[in-house]
Amino acid sequence: MKPHCPGNPLERYSSRREFFYVGLLGGLGLSLPGFLRQQAMGAQKFYETKEGPAKGIIHIFLPGGMAHQESFDPKPYAPAEYRGPFGAIDTALPGIQFGEKLPHLAKMADKLTVIRSMSHGEAAHERGTHNMFTGYRPSPALEYPSIGSVISHELGSKNNLPPYVCVPNVPNEFANSGYLSSAYGPFALGSDPAQGNFKVRDLNLPGDVSEERFNRRRSLLETVDYHFRSLEDSDALESMDAFYQHAYKLISSEKAREAFNLAKEDDKLKERYGKTQAGQRMLLARRLIEAGTRFVSLTAGGWDHHDNIKSGIEGNLPSVDKAVAALINDLEERGMLDSTLVMVTSEFGRTPKINQTGGRDHWPRVFSVMLAGGGVKKGYVHGSSDALGGEVDTDGVTVADLATTIYGQIGITADKELMAPGNRPIEIVDGGQVLSSILA
């Protein structure tokens, strides 16, 4: 529940924020000051480290609805109007094929789990996206928190880094904290790592503030804080002090700042990922997970291909294929794959039959999700769609099942109850089952 306190001392002394403010507010999500202020006001508690195979999660969301027929579930023997404009290619798994525009991932299919039997009932973008980000169907009565926000709430910060980061910005309203305090909302970068002048807002001192001046301001602030504490016995002031301490830790921590510094990466590695939107976002995601961020959410491309799906796939899928494959290989080479869950999702699939404008329309009845690392099986395909890619054929998976499994892999019990407004206990996920068959 978002804290609300009329006459809060934080408001009376808001000008004191100028002592450390180092960026601009803006965009969806929280800037550093907003993130830390809300955390101090509503989220001050100690966390116990929970055990799970995954220590971090990278969620690669493909907004618009990626066609499963052109990616992880091709139908090479279906009639042409169902098969689509592309062929299928063999993978590293005998008898399993991917769409021809996934050559890199096809070669490493023995490292992946592919779910071909995802399904839900929401054909609108917003409602399907809500499902995939929260594990719940939308409700007019309650705003559900995103998976990233629940992880932030349950596991907290590590190594002075925000536990939940969106690259480059919060992709939609359902990626936020819902009924939880906004303290658990995502930290949004504010700029795209694919840009040549990429620089994360809020993590650098203004040009006219040297380290020495910064430290002097800190000393002055400590004196002012001591004065206020001697005058007033206020929980809000204590929280404000904690807020400043956290702010200084992040701003002054070289390790925390360096997690966002793509300039530290070798140019050859950048080329492996691809100097594209998808490639550089995924490379930054790996740096953040490596440094201690628990959940990174990023988007790549646009997949609402109602018209000319051939051109749409050709413009989007190759860079994603290359980047995801590079991310998985990079994590494996660093010994991080088993402890990092990578998931590629979209809000739904596309219609089994090509429409009159050469595209496919919204189709939630069956679609595909890809997972790698984080304790899931290597070289496994779960479930199937029918011969035309229009319905679940075997081993259907619900959104609640997927969310329950993801939470379990990072050490969160999905049927735990959190408190919604009005002291209403709400399960993190309602009714999902752990997909034990996909776990290593």
Side-chain angles (χ1 to χ4, degrees):
M1 190 171 177
K2 294 181 181 179
H4 176 69
C5 181
N8 191 326
L10 289 173
E11 296 302 322
R12 283 183 278 153
Y13 307 129
S14 60
S15 63
R16 295 161 67 212
R17 296 174 188 156
E18 295 176 0
F19 282 109
F20 72 90
Y21 188 77
V22 291
L24 297 175
L25 296 171
L28 293 173
L30 300 173
S31 67
L32 175 62
F35 166 75
L36 294 171
R37 178 173 58 84
Q38 291 294 338
Q39 187 177 62
M41 291 173 65
Q44 293 302 309
K45 67 177 183 178
F46 293 99
Y47 297 87
E48 293 182 4
T49 301
K50 300 184 180 183
E51 293 299 326
K55 306 306 178 189
I57 298 175
I58 298 173
H59 181 201
I60 300 161
F61 185 70
L62 307 181
M66 180 182 68
H68 49 292
Q69 303 92 334
E70 273 69 52
S71 56
F72 295 108
D73 192 11
K75 301 298 177 182
Y77 304 113
E81 64 269 28
Y82 292 87
R83 184 170 65 245
F86 302 109
I89 56 174
D90 291 336
T91 72
L93 296 176
I96 300 298
Q97 293 188 313
F98 288 172
E100 68 173 87
K101 295 301 178 181
L102 287 176
H104 294 90
L105 289 174
K107 291 177 182 177
M108 60 163 46
D110 56 348
K111 299 178 183 179
L112 314 176
T113 281
V114 173
I115 299 173
R116 286 178 166 175
S117 54
M118 281 296 306
S119 180
H120 61 68
E122 306 294 345
H125 288 295
E126 294 80 5
R127 294 180 70 85
T129 300
H130 183 285
N131 280 0
M132 300 306 290
F133 272 78
T134 68
Y136 272 90
R137 293 185 66 184
S139 167
L142 191 64
E143 292 184 27
Y144 291 99
S146 65
I147 294 173
S149 288
V150 172
I151 289 172
S152 177
H153 179 274
E154 292 296 293
L155 302 183
S157 178
K158 183 170 66 173
N159 296 342
N160 296 323
L161 283 161
Y164 174 25
V165 177
C166 283
V167 179
N169 291 303
V170 182
N172 55 71
E173 61 186 301
F174 314 118
N176 280 304
S177 56
Y179 62 73
L180 296 175
S181 165
S182 56
Y184 306 110
F187 177 75
L189 301 188
S191 62
D192 196 330
Q195 298 172 345
N197 60 345
F198 169 65
K199 190 175 184 180
V200 180
R201 67 184 183 193
D202 303 329
L203 294 185
N204 296 283
L205 298 173
D208 62 341
V209 180
S210 65
E211 292 287 342
E212 181 181 0
R213 185 180 176 194
F214 175 73
N215 289 328
R216 285 202 307 270
R217 286 185 173 187
R218 178 174 185 176
S219 297
L220 176 60
L221 177 61
E222 288 172 346
T223 301
V224 173
D225 281 343
Y226 176 81
H227 171 72
F228 281 115
R229 283 197 300 272
S230 68
L231 294 177
E232 298 186 38
D233 181 13
S234 168
D235 289 340
L237 284 176
E238 291 300 322
S239 294
M240 195 174 187
D241 182 71
F243 163 45
Y244 281 125
Q245 293 301 321
H246 196 160
Y248 282 122
K249 285 180 181 178
L250 182 52
I251 298 168
S252 62
S253 167
E254 182 178 355
K255 183 177 180 180
R257 292 200 308 267
E258 286 301 295
F260 296 88
N261 187 2
L262 274 182
K264 293 291 185 178
E265 294 292 345
D266 183 83
D267 202 57
K268 290 182 179 179
L269 185 61
K270 292 181 181 179
E271 291 286 357
R272 279 176 56 188
Y273 277 80
K275 292 185 176 181
T276 60
Q277 179 194 82
Q280 297 309 290
R281 290 179 182 182
M282 291 184 209
L283 178 55
L284 181 60
R286 189 228 79 211
R287 286 186 64 84
L288 291 170
I289 292 294
E290 189 173 30
T293 296
R294 298 187 187 275
F295 190 93
V296 178
S297 180
L298 65 93
T299 59
W303 305 82
D304 196 20
H305 300 144
H306 291 280
D307 307 309
N308 193 2
I309 196 168
K310 182 177 187 297
S311 175
I313 291 294
E314 288 174 338
N316 283 275
L317 197 50
S319 63
V320 169
D321 173 52
K322 179 178 180 178
V324 174
L327 172 63
I328 293 168
N329 281 329
D330 193 11
L331 289 169
E332 186 174 51
E333 291 166 6
R334 293 169 184 271
M336 295 173 58
L337 184 58
D338 289 342
S339 62
T340 305
L341 179 61
V342 177
M343 57 180 188
V344 179
T345 75
S346 201
E347 63 260 47
F348 40 55
R350 312 300 294 189
T351 48
K353 189 175 182 179
I354 298 289
N355 64 27
Q356 293 182 347
T357 57
R360 298 185 191 268
D361 302 313
H362 303 175
W363 197 256
R365 294 184 187 177
V366 66
F367 57 104
S368 297
V369 164
M370 190 218 84
L371 305 171
V376 302
K377 286 181 178 176
K378 297 180 180 180
Y380 178 66
V381 175
H382 179 89
S384 64
S385 62
D386 63 18
L388 298 179
E391 303 286 344
V392 172
D393 189 32
T394 62
D395 298 322
V397 175
T398 69
V399 171
D401 294 336
L402 180 64
T404 296
T405 305
I406 290 166
Y407 282 126
Q409 292 308 98
I410 202 167
I412 294 172
T413 303
D415 61 1
K416 176 182 178 180
E417 292 180 341
L418 304 180
M419 298 307 294
N423 291 322
R424 295 168 55 195
I426 304 292
E427 291 184 344
I428 292 174
V429 182
D430 183 13
Q433 301 295 318
V434 173
L435 299 169
S436 57
S437 60
I438 77 168
L439 303 182

